[in-house]
Amino acid sequence: MKQANANEKSIEGMLDQQETLLIVDDEAAIRRVLFQKLSREGHQCEEADSAEQVLNTLATSPIALVILDIKMPGKSGIELLPEIKSGYPDTEVIMATAVTDINVAIQCLKQGADDYLCKPFNLEEVSLAVQRALEKRHLKLEIREYQQFLEDKVEEQTGEIRKLFLGAIEALVFALEAKDKYTGGHSRRVTEIALALGNELGLSAGDMEDLRWGSLLHDVGKIAIDQRVQNKPGKLTDEEYEHIMTHARIGADIVRPIVNEKIIEIIEHHHDHYDGSGLHQVIVGNDIPLGARILAVADSFDAMTSDRPYRPAMSNTKAIDEIKRCTGTQFDPDVVTALLKTKKTEMAMK
Ligand SMILES: [Fe+2]
């Protein structure tokens, strides 16, 4: 498991801050020599004499570079190296070893160490190795910062393109509704009702946004429906009803490439019945996405309170009675309760 990481800061922050070096050796005299040399060169230095102290320091303060002694009592530098590299990938590590341990030092390079120094130290070599390691770290952070910048840019532009597409489809829905005197403004009104229900039911901001798009676009599939069937004044035949109901699936397919799965499901299931009795229905009850259950109530309420080719608009009271009658069969009881509350509040405010 990754430890609480004091090095987890923004890349920009890491690039700006003064870099701290951690000198690790069980011999105080060696630590002192390195500390003095590197401090004199302007580096901020800390010391540790054991693996335990190294891990404590890393967990509490950001360390740019560790000069790590291989041979220490208790956990050795070789054992500690993978822990540092996995827990603190932005920390560079230079191994310090006796000349006779050169093969071990090479092994450490293979395990992720950035460099090694031989004891007894040549202090100029130490300076150079520290400088190289810090430059390498700087470069790595800069590259990552640039990658992050590019990723943010791509995400931002993808969002813009998505917004444009959704806006275009929304305009298409409104255009479709506008040419029909019976459905003008339907999607906007349904969205308003659905959001009031979502609010009453305590939906998260993300779910509200999905519900908003699902509601605005729920009837986009009607573009594929025969206008003569849609505007038929009399009762629909079974075949005509089946044809009209395909708009839910067609609408979901139209928006599939540009919206998330939740919005697609809201559109696809907005005519599902809570008890599973809807046409060609495959899911039942609370398996139907909540957004679709909300939309079903909002859509029906607006349809009932609007004029249709086959009947005049119902009053709000009559529509509410009809929805109450279908509670638990066509509609989710919780959503109906939310509708009753919102309508009661609306009426009280009038
Ligand atoms: Fe619909």
Side-chain angles (χ1 to χ4, degrees):
M1 196 180 78
K2 197 172 174 189
Q3 301 155 43
N5 193 338
N7 286 358
E8 271 182 8
K9 298 206 164 167
S10 74
I11 303 168
E12 210 178 326
M14 284 195 281
L15 283 165
D16 286 347
Q17 80 189 9
Q18 158 102 49
E19 292 157 319
T20 304
L21 316 185
L22 180 60
I23 300 161
V24 186
D25 203 299
D26 55 315
E27 285 184 48
I30 293 179
R31 292 200 306 273
R32 200 177 320 121
V33 170
L34 292 181
F35 189 95
Q36 283 174 351
K37 169 72 177 166
L38 294 168
S39 298
R40 231 180 287 132
E41 288 177 351
H43 297 293
Q44 189 171 297
C45 301
E46 289 192 30
E47 296 178 36
D49 63 4
S50 65
E52 194 188 6
Q53 214 185 340
V54 171
L55 292 173
N56 283 342
T57 309
L58 284 168
T60 50
S61 47
I63 299 293
L65 169 65
V66 180
I67 299 175
L68 182 59
D69 187 20
I70 285 185
K71 276 196 182 133
M72 289 190 291
K75 196 183 275 184
S76 73
I78 298 169
E79 287 171 288
L80 187 54
L81 173 63
E83 278 185 60
I84 299 176
K85 290 314 285 186
S86 66
Y88 307 92
D90 294 323
T91 300
E92 302 289 304
V93 181
I94 296 177
M95 304 303 287
T97 176
V99 176
T100 49
D101 289 341
I102 201 80
N103 286 333
V104 178
I106 291 168
Q107 194 56 37
C108 289
L109 291 182
K110 286 184 185 162
Q111 286 182 6
D114 302 285
D115 205 349
Y116 67 89
L117 289 164
C118 293
K119 290 180 185 176
F121 291 127
N122 171 331
L123 290 180
E124 290 318 306
E125 271 179 25
V126 173
S127 291
L128 279 173
V130 165
Q131 207 179 316
R132 265 198 316 267
L134 291 178
E135 277 169 9
K136 185 177 155 197
R137 176 175 181 271
H138 224 254
L139 200 62
K140 278 201 290 195
L141 290 176
E142 277 177 346
I143 290 170
R144 221 173 66 212
E145 186 185 35
Y146 187 59
Q147 272 174 340
Q148 188 62 52
F149 166 77
L150 290 179
E151 279 169 23
D152 290 348
K153 205 80 197 144
V154 168
E155 197 177 319
E156 189 188 308
Q157 292 194 343
T158 309
E160 284 300 314
I161 291 167
R162 185 174 164 269
K163 238 193 269 173
L164 275 174
F165 266 115
L166 284 171
I169 293 183
E170 193 182 346
L172 175 73
V173 171
F174 295 156
L176 262 175
E177 289 179 355
K179 75 173 184 154
D180 180 341
K181 69 172 177 156
Y182 293 107
T183 54
H186 170 68
S187 295
R188 277 202 184 104
R189 289 192 304 272
V190 167
T191 304
E192 222 171 273
I193 301 166
L195 290 181
L197 297 181
N199 201 30
E200 185 63 43
L201 290 162
L203 259 61
S204 68
D207 286 346
M208 287 289 273
E209 187 60 9
D210 291 339
L211 180 61
R212 191 170 81 82
W213 280 112
S215 304
L216 278 171
L217 307 178
H218 74 281
D219 274 345
V220 69
K222 286 200 174 157
I223 197 163
I225 301 303
D226 187 331
Q227 289 295 293
R228 284 165 304 179
V229 176
Q230 196 174 317
N231 294 328
K232 184 177 169 182
K235 198 174 180 307
L236 297 176
T237 64
D238 287 350
E239 206 180 31
E240 287 166 339
Y241 181 68
E242 282 225 13
H243 171 62
I244 282 202
M245 295 310 272
T246 56
H247 77 272
R249 185 186 44 77
I250 293 170
D253 286 343
I254 289 174
V255 298
R256 196 175 299 279
I258 46 163
V259 300
N260 67 42
E261 196 55 38
K262 280 188 171 179
I263 300 174
I264 295 166
E265 285 180 345
I266 290 174
I267 296 172
E268 193 165 8
H269 296 283
H270 79 273
H271 282 292
D272 279 5
H273 288 192
Y274 191 66
D275 65 358
S277 62
L279 192 68
H280 305 314
Q281 199 171 324
V282 286
I283 47 176
V284 182
N286 289 351
D287 284 346
I288 302 167
L290 178 58
R293 282 179 270 145
I294 291 173
L295 181 53
V297 171
D299 190 18
S300 297
F301 182 82
D302 185 70
M304 282 191 263
T305 51
S306 306
D307 285 330
R308 283 290 183 264
Y310 44 89
R311 56 144 179 82
M314 283 182 198
S315 68
N316 280 8
T317 316
K318 215 169 163 204
I320 286 173
D321 284 346
E322 182 59 19
I323 285 177
K324 269 162 64 179
R325 194 181 64 78
C326 300
T327 299
T329 49
Q330 187 172 350
F331 303 119
D332 175 352
D334 290 341
V335 180
V336 175
T337 304
L339 178 79
L340 300 181
K341 275 189 194 162
T342 57
K343 291 296 161 195
K344 202 170 163 189
T345 313
E346 265 178 40
M347 268 134 86
M349 284 168 73
K350 275 181 187 166

